[in-house]
Amino acid sequence: PFGIEFCVLYDLFACSVVVMRLLLAFSLLQIHQILSLNLQGYVRPRDDRERWTDDHDHPFYYPFFATLAEEGNLFDAASNWACYVPVLLHVAVVMAMNMGYRHVAEALTEWENHETDVAHENSLILKRFLFEAFDAYIILFYLAFYEQDMGKLRSELVSLFNVDTFRRLFVEFVLPMVLQHRENKKDKEEYGALKKMDVTTEDEPDKALYKPLRKQAKQDPYEEFDDYLEMIIELGYVCLFASAYPFAAFVAIFANLVEIRTDALKLTRVCMRPRSIRTSNIGTWQQLMSVIIWGSALTNCLIFGYSSKQLYEWMPDYFYIDDLGQHKMVQGKGWIIIFIIFGIERVLVCLGLLINTFVDEVPPDVKIKEERKQFIRMQLTQKLRVTTAKSSTLRSSGIAMSALMKMKGADEDIVSSAEK
């Protein structure tokens, strides 16, 4: 009983520690996001005096940090290079927090004690995606639906794409290559010191043979988890905010071309040879992609009709422009605009459902070709089995005949010797 009580108390203590860590991480994440908004010059109450009569009325405005983004200051938002400094700081803090949360997510998933490795992996994917997606998209949602500033939203998307592309190149390839070069240089220096003292074992025949294997054993193991997660987050950048920045898809193509070459160099030069596992699909990642794609219908319709001036260009009678240049809904016609926004969203969803229903994932001619390949493969396999069985039968019968002949020869020898 004492052991059971101790285990229960220990589990409760461990759970409380994890909950405290999660709350602390969430609070730090909120503080970091607010500071990043101020340092990048996205929180400016004076740009919307109708909404914020005083600077201090804005809940996220911190004058000390916001003034650093003013013209001529340290993080000048109008500068061509100083504006990227807060973005780099934001990316660095996000990487550190994601690394910390990774250990928390792995511990929580381990405690859940899943029956299979697939269930364990799916649970870990969901935890890490929710945390990193919140961190990646919260500023974009703030600019799109709270500030309703499409210029700032486009600027943030461009900054994220540019910085994230170079971050992947540096973190996934350049930094590991530099560390490996230093390690190899250190090994060569140690070998040179041993060679001077005549204690080397280079004359051993297997040393040169196993040298590449020892070199690969020192490399970092390849983890496809982070590569999948990066692609899913990038898909959210492209799909969820497509109406605000349609050019993001072309930027993503360029970023993915760089990513392909970076991953190829990483797999051949930096990481160990990955373990090959045959799977029918990508599992939970496919479901997350579906959620992002279906959710993008709602976010883009809200940006189209609520945040930007796109619907105003089509239906100017339902909007008016105030003294500050902001477009506002005409009194009494807001319900029509809301009906149009959600009506377009429902039409897009129904169109997607119709496409999924009537358009096959695999074309019929491809299915026929695959079935034919399977049939030919089965026929060849069956013929191979029959041929193998016949050859084994003939071989066994030949062995039996030779044994009988030997026995018959031995009997004749016995008979002839008896007659003599």
Side-chain angles (χ1 to χ4, degrees):
F2 176 76
I4 297 175
E5 293 177 359
F6 177 77
C7 291
V8 172
L9 291 175
Y10 176 78
D11 290 340
L12 291 175
F13 174 75
C15 292
S16 63
V17 170
V18 172
V19 171
M20 290 177 63
R21 287 184 178 181
L22 290 175
L23 293 176
L24 179 61
F26 184 76
S27 60
L28 291 175
L29 180 62
Q30 295 296 324
I31 296 172
H32 157 253
Q33 299 286 0
I34 293 172
L35 294 180
S36 179
L37 288 170
N38 283 270
L39 291 176
Q40 295 182 65
Y42 292 149
V43 182
R44 292 182 178 179
R46 65 175 181 272
D47 294 342
D48 192 359
R49 285 304 181 192
E50 183 179 355
R51 187 178 182 184
W52 313 109
T53 57
D54 187 73
D55 290 347
H56 297 285
D57 293 340
H58 198 293
F60 305 130
Y61 180 70
Y62 289 86
F64 175 78
F65 298 99
T67 53
L68 295 176
E70 299 292 339
E71 186 176 359
N73 290 336
L74 183 61
F75 304 133
D76 186 1
S79 175
N80 292 327
W81 62 271
C83 62
Y84 284 100
V85 177
V87 181
L88 292 172
L89 295 175
H90 170 74
V91 171
V93 174
V94 167
M95 288 177 58
M97 297 186 68
N98 288 340
M99 290 177 62
Y101 180 73
R102 175 181 178 178
H103 299 293
V104 176
E106 289 175 353
L108 289 174
T109 309
E110 193 68 29
W111 289 347
E112 291 173 355
N113 194 21
H114 294 280
E115 294 183 359
T116 61
D117 292 337
V118 175
H120 179 93
E121 189 74 13
N122 292 338
S123 180
L124 182 61
I125 289 171
L126 185 60
K127 290 182 180 66
R128 289 194 59 186
F129 172 77
L130 291 176
F131 183 84
E132 298 197 20
F134 177 84
D135 193 19
Y137 302 145
I138 188 62
I139 290 181
L140 301 175
F141 278 106
Y142 168 83
L143 295 175
F145 302 114
Y146 193 79
E147 292 290 339
Q148 301 178 22
D149 193 324
M150 295 298 102
K152 294 179 180 178
L153 178 59
R154 295 189 190 99
S155 176
E156 180 66 13
L157 281 170
V158 171
S159 300
L160 286 173
F161 268 112
N162 293 338
V163 173
D164 199 50
T165 300
F166 288 103
R167 178 196 65 82
R168 294 178 194 172
L169 180 63
F170 177 76
V171 174
E172 297 181 2
F173 177 69
V174 176
L175 184 60
M177 282 291 292
V178 171
L179 295 177
Q180 285 189 13
H181 179 72
R182 291 181 59 185
E183 187 69 23
N184 294 335
K185 185 178 180 181
K186 184 179 178 181
D187 292 341
K188 289 181 180 179
E189 291 177 353
E190 292 179 355
Y191 174 74
L194 294 174
K195 189 174 182 179
K196 290 179 180 179
M197 295 184 295
D198 294 332
V199 293
T200 60
T201 58
E202 188 64 31
D203 53 346
E204 295 181 3
D206 59 341
K207 186 172 183 63
L209 179 63
Y210 294 109
K211 186 176 180 180
L213 298 178
R214 290 197 300 270
K215 183 179 179 181
Q216 289 187 16
K218 294 180 180 179
Q219 294 178 343
D220 298 329
Y222 172 68
E223 295 183 2
E224 70 277 3
F225 192 100
D226 292 333
D227 290 338
Y228 272 111
L229 190 58
E230 289 173 355
M231 291 295 101
I232 298 298
I233 296 296
E234 183 183 281
L235 178 67
Y237 289 148
V238 175
C239 294
L240 294 174
F241 308 97
S243 59
Y245 186 49
F247 193 67
F250 299 97
V251 178
I253 292 174
F254 172 76
N256 288 339
L257 290 176
V258 176
E259 179 75 13
I260 289 171
R261 302 313 307 167
T262 304
D263 288 345
L265 292 172
K266 180 176 66 175
L267 288 170
T268 55
R269 302 287 185 85
V270 177
C271 297
M272 295 181 183
R273 184 179 299 175
R275 188 165 57 111
S276 178
I277 301 175
R278 297 184 63 181
T279 57
S280 58
N281 51 50
I282 59 176
T284 305
W285 299 111
Q286 182 70 35
Q287 299 175 7
L288 293 177
M289 292 172 62
S290 300
V291 171
I292 290 175
I293 292 172
W294 288 106
S296 64
L298 177 60
T299 57
N300 285 287
C301 287
L302 289 175
I303 293 173
F304 169 76
Y306 178 71
S307 301
S308 67
K309 294 183 180 180
Q310 299 176 25
L311 187 59
Y312 165 75
E313 299 293 335
W314 289 86
M315 306 176 66
D317 296 336
Y318 294 89
F319 297 90
Y320 70 95
I321 304 298
D322 60 8
D323 298 335
L324 299 175
Q326 302 290 334
H327 71 289
K328 306 291 183 182
M329 297 181 187
V330 176
Q331 186 71 25
K333 293 186 178 181
W335 68 273
I336 300 177
I337 297 172
I338 298 299
F339 179 80
I340 292 172
I341 292 173
F342 284 95
I344 296 174
E345 185 264 341
R346 296 299 172 184
V347 170
L348 292 175
V349 171
C350 292
L351 182 62
L353 292 174
L354 289 175
I355 292 174
N356 282 342
T357 303
F358 295 102
V359 177
D360 295 331
E361 294 182 359
V362 181
D365 56 338
V366 177
K367 288 183 178 179
I368 293 173
K369 292 180 180 179
E370 289 296 325
E371 291 176 356
R372 184 173 181 274
K373 287 182 181 179
Q374 292 289 339
F375 176 77
I376 294 174
R377 189 179 294 112
M378 290 176 61
Q379 293 295 322
L380 292 175
T381 304
Q382 187 175 2
K383 288 181 180 180
L384 181 62
R385 290 176 180 175
V386 172
T387 305
T388 305
K390 287 182 177 179
S391 61
S392 61
T393 303
L394 291 174
R395 190 181 301 112
S396 61
S397 61
I399 294 172
M401 289 295 294
S402 61
L404 289 174
M405 292 297 293
K406 290 180 180 180
M407 291 176 64
K408 184 177 180 181
D411 293 340
E412 289 177 355
D413 292 339
I414 293 171
V415 171
S416 61
S417 62
E419 290 176 352
K420 289 179 180 179

